Amino acid sequence: MMLRFIGRFVERHPLLMGMGEAISMGLQGIRAYKMRAFLTILGVVMGIMTVTGMSAIVAGLNASMATQIATLGSSTIFIRPQAPGENLDDDEWRRRKGLTMDEVEVIAAKPAVKAIAPLQFIPIENVKYATERAREAQVMGTTAAYEEVHDSYVEKGRFLSNADVERAAHVAVLGVDIADALFPFVEAVDKVITLDGRPFTVIGILQKKGRFLFRSMDNIVLVPVNSIQKQDRRMNFMMGDVKPISPGHMEAAIDQTREAMRRYRKLKYLQKDNFGIFSQDTLSDLYNQITGGIYMVMIAISSIGLLVGGVGVMNIVLVSVTERTREIGVRKALGATKRDILWQFLTEAMTLTGAGGIIGILIGAILAFLINTFSPFPAVIQPTWVIIAFSTSMIVGLTFGLWPAAKAARLDPIEALRYE
């Protein structure tokens, strides 16, 4: 029933019948000259494969980066000696200063700021419990506000308290990786570990956070700020993370934080900030600039392949026109118009490149699946880019098949019938 309906519909639309016939002839040509057709569309296959595969990898990396940035805490503002993408000379770098606890208190008092967590990075080489040792542990001094700023909560035990910070107590909260390394068979809470020989009592284990930029965020030890060493103002690179009272107050919190630090450091109106302050959006924008460059490279590589494939298609259609000159003469003698001949060869060219586009998309999808499964890089097929890739392959056939098709349409039927 359905086939009969389709047949009647096609009969009522001669253009569709002609296109269907041309597509059929194009597929017959591919089957008859498999190697020639494959070599012709190889450039198209490579170009489309590049678009499909690279777009899947970039999309996977974008999604992964968005997730990783979210693990830093919702709507977080970062205070660092240097902002991402900022190039400093040696003199400017020497003028940069880290946060002080007095600045932390001033910033915490601002109306748009909900909490600020100082980050005091402490160089510790040995994190040990009995005979067990944690490798590449990152030890940071902070306050109770770290939990709220980073949405980083304990799974066992408790977090640092204000009393711990005031007393500079020798207590520690461990990331999951550190806890697993030091306490593979026993409960970690209430055990005493040593940080370069200094004893610290474990009071809590953090929930698993995952990785950020291929670095584990669970390989961390949090202790009260200044509990290991007092802050040396000459060598101070303490940083800070700020959480606004709501995402809508992000800009206000940034402005108030900047204003508070400039006032505290007595910077004049025309003087540049001697610190960096930025948000998660800055990290996302910087990453998008990098991936934007990758997209440009992808487009350049695929364009070369498509150009080569287009020239090959033009050549094979020209050969086809020459081989089928008598056929064109017969069709014209039986009433075919220039438009009919033009669309016949254009459809055949588009069928050729469309087949190459489908093959390229399939290969690109397989490569993306393999990369996503067996490599650390995520890859997600993008339907939008698949549609763009296939449409591009069809446009290549239309563009490069136009001249040979026009040449076929202009053939004189008498001369074509005489062609040997």
Side-chain angles (χ1 to χ4, degrees):
M1 188 70 178
M2 180 61 70
L3 292 176
R4 189 177 302 170
F5 172 78
I6 294 173
R8 289 176 180 174
F9 182 80
V10 171
E11 286 177 3
R12 292 175 184 175
H13 297 79
L15 180 60
L16 291 178
M17 181 182 294
M19 288 181 63
E21 183 182 350
I23 292 172
S24 176
M25 293 177 69
L27 294 175
Q28 287 176 10
I30 293 174
R31 286 195 295 268
Y33 303 98
K34 297 183 181 65
M35 183 56 67
R36 185 176 76 174
F38 176 74
L39 293 176
T40 300
I41 63 175
L42 185 59
V44 176
V45 171
M46 296 299 293
I48 299 303
M49 178 190 71
T50 302
V51 171
T52 306
M54 289 295 293
S55 65
I57 294 172
V58 173
L61 290 173
N62 284 343
S64 176
M65 179 58 66
T67 303
Q68 291 181 53
I69 290 176
T71 62
L72 298 176
S74 59
S75 305
T76 306
I77 300 167
F78 307 97
I79 303 173
R80 301 290 186 267
Q82 179 180 359
E86 188 177 13
N87 295 318
L88 304 177
D89 56 32
D90 293 341
D91 291 337
E92 179 63 25
W93 176 252
R94 282 192 289 269
R95 288 193 290 268
R96 293 299 172 109
K97 300 176 182 178
L99 275 175
T100 65
M101 289 305 295
D102 292 337
E103 288 176 310
V104 170
E105 293 176 5
V106 171
I107 294 169
K110 292 298 177 179
V113 173
K114 185 175 184 180
I116 174 172
L119 303 175
Q120 185 181 47
F121 290 89
I122 305 169
I124 296 293
E125 294 184 3
N126 294 307
V127 179
K128 299 177 66 176
Y129 173 74
T131 59
E132 303 293 341
R133 177 180 175 182
R135 300 184 180 277
E136 299 181 359
Q138 186 179 63
V139 182
M140 281 197 304
T142 188
T143 64
Y146 182 97
E147 185 177 31
E148 183 175 17
V149 171
H150 290 278
D151 301 323
S152 184
Y153 304 104
V154 292
E155 188 175 83
K156 298 178 182 178
R158 67 174 179 86
F159 199 76
L160 302 174
S161 66
N162 291 327
D164 295 329
V165 176
E166 291 171 2
R167 297 185 294 107
H170 279 208
V171 294
V173 177
L174 308 183
V176 174
D177 290 352
I178 300 295
D180 291 343
L182 297 181
F183 305 98
F185 307 112
V186 296
E187 179 60 49
V189 178
D190 293 332
K191 301 295 190 298
V192 177
I193 64 173
T194 58
L195 307 178
D196 280 351
R198 304 176 183 86
F200 277 74
T201 302
V202 178
I203 59 172
I205 307 298
L206 292 170
Q207 294 176 352
K208 190 172 183 63
K209 296 286 285 184
R211 305 178 72 83
F212 180 71
L213 295 177
F214 307 105
R215 181 182 179 88
S216 174
M217 297 180 65
D218 299 308
N219 206 27
I220 190 172
V221 179
L222 300 178
V223 298
V225 67
N226 294 331
S227 62
I228 292 184
Q229 59 188 23
K230 291 293 182 181
Q231 183 174 298
D232 187 344
R233 292 181 180 271
R234 296 169 300 174
M235 298 293 291
N236 172 29
F237 285 96
M238 188 165 71
M239 306 174 191
D241 292 343
V242 179
K243 188 170 188 175
I245 56 176
S246 72
H249 288 79
M250 174 72 77
E251 291 300 324
I254 291 175
D255 292 340
Q256 291 176 18
T257 301
R258 176 176 283 110
E259 187 265 342
M261 293 185 66
R262 288 183 64 86
R263 279 182 178 273
Y264 185 87
R265 297 182 180 193
K266 297 180 172 60
L267 295 177
K268 297 179 180 179
Y269 180 76
L270 295 178
Q271 282 184 289
K272 292 175 57 178
D273 294 342
N274 57 1
F275 55 88
I277 180 168
F278 55 95
S279 66
Q280 292 168 312
D281 290 340
T282 305
L283 298 176
S284 299
D285 292 342
L286 184 64
Y287 184 77
N288 289 335
Q289 290 177 15
I290 297 172
T291 55
I294 296 174
Y295 273 122
M296 293 302 293
V297 172
M298 175 188 74
I299 292 171
I301 294 173
S302 61
S303 297
I304 295 172
L306 292 172
L307 179 63
V308 173
V311 172
V313 169
M314 184 169 62
N315 287 335
I316 198 172
V317 176
L318 281 172
V319 171
S320 179
V321 170
T322 303
E323 291 176 344
R324 296 160 61 187
T325 300
R326 286 181 60 84
E327 176 194 325
I328 296 169
V330 171
R331 288 177 65 86
K332 283 196 168 188
L334 293 175
T337 64
K338 288 184 177 182
R339 183 178 178 181
D340 294 333
I341 302 298
L342 180 71
W343 274 110
Q344 175 188 341
F345 283 93
L346 278 180
T347 306
E348 289 185 26
M350 292 167 67
T351 301
L352 200 60
T353 55
I358 292 173
I359 295 171
I361 290 170
L362 291 175
I363 296 175
I366 293 171
L367 288 176
F369 172 77
L370 294 175
I371 290 170
N372 187 61
T373 305
F374 300 106
S375 81
F377 298 99
V380 180
I381 291 294
Q382 296 294 290
T384 301
W385 277 103
V386 170
I387 295 171
I388 291 173
F390 181 72
S391 301
T392 302
S393 69
M394 299 295 286
I395 291 171
V396 168
L398 177 64
T399 303
F400 286 88
L402 192 59
W403 179 47
K407 181 181 178 182
R410 288 195 303 267
L411 285 175
D412 182 84
I414 303 299
E415 295 296 327
L417 288 170
R418 289 177 179 172
Y419 184 80
E420 294 285 338

